[in-house]
Amino acid sequence: MDKPFKIAILGAGRWGNHLIRNFLEHPQTEVVAVVDPNPSRREAMKNRYNLSELVQLTDDWQGVLARPEVELAAIATPASTHYNIIQYALTQDCHVLAEKPLTLDAEECLELCHLAESQQRQLVVDHTYLFHPVVQQGKEALSSGAVGELRYGYATRTHIGPVRQDVDALWDLAIHDLAIFNHWLGETPVEVDATADTWLQPGLPDVVWVKLLYPSGFKATIHLCWLNPDKQRRLAVVGSQGTLIFDELSTDPLIIQQGHFQPEDPKFTPMGINREVLATPPGEPLKEVCDRFLQCVRHNQPSPHSSGWVAADLVRTLQQIQAKINS
């Protein structure tokens, strides 16, 4: 086997912690640096994973990325910092795995995509749900026509915290359900609409309702809130023969609720009512993300559904939704 890639991980917060764990465990990577501005977080990572003295712990991200032996950078810093860090990492010939969203501006995303191409480096974005076994199984079910002709969809993503200070509920939460709908449909929205309300922090909405229209005519609504103790992680696609439901908090996370109408003039009689649980293989989505990133680097080929280009499309849609909220 080829020697492990030397990787630096920037950001040791909640998600950075998971990246550190996965790359420490991965046989194809050697973690050589952990970067975070908070010294207590750096120390916590050192103690939690018993990091070798050879692993650099620092707040100097530019110094780490300039090290000639650093080949990969995994970036889990606030989204507002992504553009500058990713741009610098690419110019230092690093392949980059970035947390979502890639940046907060679609034009910046495209700039980074072009830069990655010119540097012949891979830019992969951790849209973790696209690597979730349930989402992959759901894609197969829809492609097989399991619920018939697709009509509309809906999603709810609510919880009580954490409340972000750098972005609002739209930018924090919507990208997950938007990515799943786009992936399942193989389309991106052509029209959007949205409304929002704010209670906690002026200028940062706490609840958002989004409407999406796709080229095929499929419509979806998304309800997002970080100020609702009724925690839900539920997404559904309704078809002519049933509804595919991904309920992340359920013991049966992927089901098809089957049913259709039999016309009996002048009435419509429900037929074929049945609940089918779809079996899905086990697996940690983030581990799959890390594997895919390393495959892309090893073969120097972009990820088909988690490249910077895909991320740029998602950010463009988020900006369009934001414009509707602001109008």
Side-chain angles (χ1 to χ4, degrees), residues 16-27:
N17 165 54
H18 294 307
L19 287 169
I20 293 168
R21 171 177 54 81
N22 271 277
F23 283 119
L24 283 172
E25 294 173 353
H26 206 291

Side-chain angles (χ1 to χ4, degrees), residues 64-81:
V64 164
L65 295 176
R67 290 172 55 180
E69 70 272 23
V70 174
E71 303 164 278
L72 314 179
I75 298 170
T77 60
S80 58
T81 69

Side-chain angles (χ1 to χ4, degrees), residues 10 35 58-67 84-85 88 92:
L10 284 67
V35 182
T58 180
D59 61 357
D60 180 12
W61 60 269
Q62 289 178 309
V64 164
L65 295 176
R67 290 172 55 180
N84 289 336
I85 295 175
Y88 188 76
Q92 297 302 308

